[in-house]
Amino acid sequence: MKKSNQGLSYSLPINIWLTLFFMLPMLIILSYSFLKKGTYGGVVFELSFVTFNIFIDKVFLSILFNTIYISILITIFTVALAIPVAYYIARSKHKQELLFLIIIPFWTNFLVRIYAWIALLGNNGFINHLLMNFKIIDSPIKMLYNVPAVIVISVYTSLPFAILPLYAVVEKFDFALLNAARDLGATNFQAFRKVFLPNIKSGIITATIFTLIPALGSYAVPKLVGGTNSLMLGNVIAQHLTVTRNWPLASTISGALIIITSLVVWVFTKYEEKNIAKVGDVNVQ
């Protein structure tokens, strides 16, 4: 009983923190979805379900699917790039220096990094200027304000969040298993696919969650470098909060985003639990 009480006392601060700064804000957001819009913004405390009509609006549904589509592409490219980088760092003799280089972008403001990409990819940016000086192109190439620009810059900003958890798993991998697989006749690709990837599955899942969830709620990147075809839910929420001042509608869309991200976490958690259970059964046998 004493140990149980000690456990409760140790977990009390974090439980209070999560309740005050996580659960209560979420409940407020969800509750605003069922209220009426105020004349000058805010909410009127009268029950209403008008905002839920947004889920049958064709424009909103296209933005929702566009958000999911772009977020999945960002996640695929980010994880695909992070795996070889994590592998290289784990095998390198200069792990600390390379990890330091991965962490350096965190020292720079997020918006500054986005504007740096604008300076590189803009019509009057460095890349277009360089190509025109070498007579490779006659007029600037439009590299901004489209879906590829959103994906490229989002992958850049997400890479550290994917590399670090992958590195933590890859570093513990026994690389002698790859040599054993090759000795048994496997090609390099087969050894990578059938031996390496299954053993770093937990790192891939963590990297996917760390990339996909922020991508679903992305606002700054689509706002600054996206066009009309790259509008995402984060932009719609911001518009209803600051322009139309329709807080109940913004809360309804935010609630939908919370449900989507929660489902993503739940699916990956169940998948990981299933894998752990399989490993446990094999060990018992």
Side-chain angles (χ1 to χ4, degrees):
M1 184 65 69
K2 186 176 180 181
K3 289 183 178 179
S4 177
N5 290 335
Q6 286 179 345
L8 289 173
S9 63
Y10 291 147
S11 62
L12 186 60
I14 188 63
N15 288 333
I16 293 174
W17 176 273
L18 290 173
T19 301
L20 289 177
F21 300 106
F22 183 73
M23 291 301 298
L24 285 180
M26 282 182 58
L27 290 174
I28 291 171
I29 290 172
L30 294 175
S31 64
Y32 273 26
S33 302
F34 300 94
L35 301 177
K36 286 186 177 181
K37 174 190 174 184
T39 305
Y40 303 103
V43 295
V44 176
F45 288 92
E46 295 179 17
L47 187 63
S48 174
F49 298 94
V50 174
T51 59
F52 291 92
N53 292 330
I54 191 71
F55 296 115
I56 58 174
D57 183 78
K58 291 182 180 180
V59 175
F60 172 78
L61 290 176
S62 67
I63 295 173
L64 174 61
F65 289 124
N66 195 50
T67 299
I68 296 172
Y69 170 70
I70 293 174
S71 300
I72 290 173
L73 287 179
I74 291 168
T75 304
I76 291 171
F77 286 120
T78 301
V79 176
L81 287 172
I83 290 173
V85 173
Y87 177 90
Y88 179 79
I89 294 175
R91 298 301 301 270
S92 175
K93 296 179 181 178
H94 307 285
K95 296 179 183 179
Q96 300 301 324
E97 292 82 357
L98 292 173
L99 286 173
F100 178 74
L101 292 176
I102 297 297
I103 296 171
I104 277 180
F106 290 115
W107 296 3
T108 308
N109 184 274
F110 182 72
L111 291 176
V112 171
R113 283 183 278 156
I114 296 176
Y115 278 108
W117 275 97
I118 293 174
L120 284 173
L121 303 178
N123 287 343
N124 296 317
F126 175 78
I127 294 176
N128 272 316
H129 185 71
L130 187 67
L131 293 175
M132 290 177 70
N133 279 346
F134 282 99
K135 308 298 181 182
I136 298 174
I137 58 175
D138 296 323
S139 59
I141 301 171
K142 186 179 180 181
M143 292 183 280
L144 288 178
Y145 312 116
N146 49 42
V147 172
V150 173
I151 293 173
V152 168
I153 297 174
S154 296
V155 168
Y156 161 75
T157 57
S158 302
L159 266 175
F161 298 102
I163 292 171
L164 293 177
L166 276 167
Y167 166 77
V169 176
V170 173
E171 189 187 26
K172 299 174 184 176
F173 176 74
D174 184 2
F175 291 99
L177 294 174
L178 294 178
N179 295 329
R182 295 189 193 99
D183 291 339
L184 293 172
T187 63
N188 288 333
F189 179 73
Q190 288 174 331
F192 177 81
R193 182 171 62 88
K194 295 183 178 181
V195 178
F196 181 69
L197 289 182
N199 280 280
I200 64 165
K201 194 178 295 181
S202 61
I204 294 174
I205 291 173
T206 304
T208 300
I209 292 174
F210 283 4
T211 304
L212 181 59
I213 292 179
L216 286 168
S218 181
Y219 165 74
V221 176
K223 174 72 174 177
L224 295 174
V225 301
T228 55
N229 294 328
S230 54
L231 192 66
M232 298 178 70
L233 286 183
N235 306 113
V236 178
I237 293 169
Q239 182 181 11
H240 287 304
L241 280 173
T242 59
V243 180
T244 64
R245 295 185 63 79
N246 192 337
W247 290 14
L249 184 55
S251 297
T252 301
I253 299 171
S254 299
L257 195 56
I258 290 170
I259 292 171
I260 292 171
T261 54
S262 299
L263 283 174
V264 169
V265 174
W266 181 80
V267 168
F268 279 111
T269 301
K270 289 297 180 182
Y271 180 75
E272 184 66 12
E273 288 177 356
K274 186 178 179 180
N275 287 332
I276 291 172
K278 284 183 179 179
V279 173
D281 293 339
V282 170
N283 290 335
V284 169
Q285 292 174 0

